[in-house]
Amino acid sequence: MSLAQKDSEATGAVTRRQLIDGRLVAADATFASLNPATGEVLGHAPEATEEQARKAVAAARRAFDTTDWATDTELRYRCLDQLHSALVEQREDLRELTIADAGSPRTLTYGAQLDEPIDLVRYYADLLKNRSFVEDMGAVEYMGQRHHRWVEWEAAGVAAAIIPYNYPNQLALAKLAPALAAGCTLVLKAAPDTPLVTLALGELIAEHTDIPAGVVNVLSSSQASVGEVLTTHPDVDLVSFTGASPTGRRIMAAASDTVKRVFLELGGKSALVVLDDADLKSAATYAAYMICLHSGQACAITSRMLVPGAHHDAIVEQVAKRLQRVPCGDPNDPKTYMGPLISERQRDKVDGMVQRAVAAGATLVTGGQKVDPGYFYQPTLLANVDPDSEIAQEEVFGPVLAVIPYDDDDHAVRIANNSIYGLSGAVQSADRERALAVARRIRTGTFSINGGNYFFSDTPFGGYKQSGIGREKGVAGLEEFMERKTFGEVVA
């Protein structure tokens, strides 16, 4: 039965299953997943118990300690190849489910919401096949003997992977694929707002791959206690978490009791710096369409626009015109660029931040309104924003752009770095060297020069400061799930 068939039974509100120790299992209780474009119940997910979480960890521990998964690269390659084939085969069913569960515009599923994550599985399968896991350090003379040294890379152990709702396929596969390539076993916890997509991934693994029982476990829960089990359990060796910085801080603290390795990809408040020689129309287009990407629900989007004070009003006018023309609405419509926010709770949060910004002195130029039915919010532009205000410092996770005037390049760099975050940034200028000079002074893990894209399977992604620890994707993403073991032996 295809994923589409499963989700079209009766009213479509079906209950998916968790993957624990090689078996697809239900739970005694469930919670609803809503379609954010309509507010209607799309399906139900199992409400995992703490005991099920512990069983999943025990299964992953046993699979790592008692099987040859961690050392059998041929098996791991075959399983990753099978997973990639299954994802390709079920791509269109997954596309429909992603649109409904995450509220993603259809056009975005041809990129980072689905097709690119599928390609990421292929990337890690090929990397596993072609990469050497041994580094020869040569021999040296020491105390009258010759010592040969080398380094071997091996799996880090049992991983707990916890993801948010905004890009469920990308986030799950960016953890799952390198973890499996490295030889880890893992427990993957779905986001409570988009559980159906991630649970479907568990079903594909169970039904279409030879991944041994216990190597991959997929849970869903709306309760924080399940995540706490995963982040504190002594049999978990590392935690890979993507989400909000406050949660990341708590996970880091929880993991410290057992000195777990942590990978944290956290929040952002990225700045787009428009230099005074930039093409204003091009900069305005970039700013408008970036802030509306998946309704602003992305950690790396440029939600602060830093503009020369002399050009502030002209740029604001250009951005406002473009925001008012962004195609918003039904995510199923191929013409739609921006769909809904994920939930009423998130929409209320966004609206509250906008209203407080206006009360604090920012100018509401356009937007700032809820749109029903569903959880839609108008693309919103705030001008003359104080760089120290809440709207300029806190992550909104909605289609809200704050325009901040600056005096000169040095002032722009200071404002850009005036943040606890350091995930991404962008600069627009007619002078490449000037743009690059500004980019290199801003402390972020990724950066766009004149609209350049850095987000690919082979490029590492992550942040400075409170935007996280470690890197996802690329070779660096594989190494997050591996340990280095250094050897030395006396040779003749």
Side-chain angles (χ1 to χ4, degrees), residues 92-349:
E92 297 312 312
D93 292 343
L94 283 169
R95 195 180 312 283
E96 301 306 318
L97 183 56
T98 301
I99 293 167
D101 204 24
S104 169
R106 180 173 297 275
T107 53
L108 195 54
T109 66
Y110 295 101
Q113 280 286 16
L114 181 61
D115 286 3
E116 289 175 10
I118 292 175
D119 292 341
L120 191 63
V121 177
R122 178 79 269 151
Y123 169 81
Y124 278 111
D126 293 341
L127 184 61
L128 171 63
K129 188 174 184 179
N130 297 317
R131 187 182 191 273
S132 172
F133 292 97
V134 180
E135 180 183 1
D136 194 299
M137 304 295 290
V140 297
E141 296 291 335
Y142 178 71
M143 297 184 69
Q145 293 180 309
R146 192 164 179 79
H147 299 260
H148 176 229
R149 301 85 39 76
W150 73 97
V151 176
E152 295 183 4
W153 291 80
E154 60 184 41
V158 176
I162 302 173
I163 63 173
Y165 64 80
N166 52 331
Y167 286 82
N169 295 307
Q170 167 67 36
L171 295 161
L173 293 173
K175 299 183 187 301
L176 179 66
L180 296 183
C184 289
T185 59
L186 77 160
V187 182
L188 172 64
K189 180 182 176 295
D193 286 310
T194 52
L196 305 184
V197 178
T198 307
L199 291 168
L201 177 61
E203 292 179 6
L204 286 181
I205 289 170
E207 297 173 349
H208 296 277
T209 77
D210 295 330
I211 294 175
V215 168
V216 177
N217 304 270
V218 182
L219 305 177
S220 62
S221 176
S222 64
Q223 304 301 313
S225 59
V226 170
E228 290 171 1
V229 170
L230 301 182
T231 56
T232 59
H233 200 294
D235 284 339
V236 171
D237 297 298
L238 70 92
V239 178
S240 180
F241 170 78
T242 300
S245 293
T247 305
R249 295 185 203 111
R250 292 194 294 272
I251 286 174
M252 193 173 182
S256 68
D257 284 345
T258 49
V259 197
K260 301 185 193 305
R261 293 178 59 180
V262 292
F263 165 82
L264 303 174
E265 197 273 280
L266 306 176
K269 194 66 185 178
S270 303
L272 163 61
V273 179
V274 182
L275 299 182
D276 57 18
D277 63 351
D279 181 289
L280 299 189
K281 291 183 178 180
S282 175
T285 300
Y286 180 89
Y289 280 84
M290 182 60 70
I291 197 62
C292 293
L293 184 67
H294 196 30
S295 303
Q297 297 172 118
C299 51
I301 61 169
T302 46
S303 55
R304 291 183 295 161
M305 187 180 191
L306 279 50
V307 304
H311 300 323
H312 175 275
D313 292 351
I315 292 175
V316 166
E317 181 181 0
Q318 292 288 340
V319 176
K321 288 179 180 178
R322 284 156 178 78
L323 286 178
Q324 291 162 0
R325 293 199 297 262
V326 171
C328 305
D330 182 2
N332 282 291
D333 188 339
K335 297 179 181 178
T336 294
Y337 181 82
M338 193 185 99
L341 292 168
I342 192 63
S343 65
E344 185 67 32
R345 179 185 67 255
Q346 180 60 21
R347 187 169 69 166
D348 286 344
K349 177 206 168 190

Side-chain angles (χ1 to χ4, degrees), residues 49 90 162 185 188 274 277 364 371 443 455 490:
T49 63
Q90 299 289 337
I162 302 173
T185 59
L188 172 64
V274 182
D277 63 351
L364 177 61
V371 180
R443 292 185 52 76
F455 198 77
V490 176

Side-chain angles (χ1 to χ4, degrees), residues 16 80 112 182 245 269 318 325 370 372 403 409 421 481-482:
R16 304 204 84 93
L80 280 167
S245 293
K269 194 66 185 178
Q318 292 288 340
R325 293 199 297 262
K370 299 178 182 180
D372 297 319
V403 180
D409 290 8
Y421 301 110
F481 291 93
M482 304 196 83

Side-chain angles (χ1 to χ4, degrees), residues 5 20 43 198 219 269 287 382 390 414:
Q5 289 171 320
I20 303 176
T198 307
L219 305 177
K269 194 66 185 178
L382 296 167
E390 178 195 41
R414 288 198 301 273

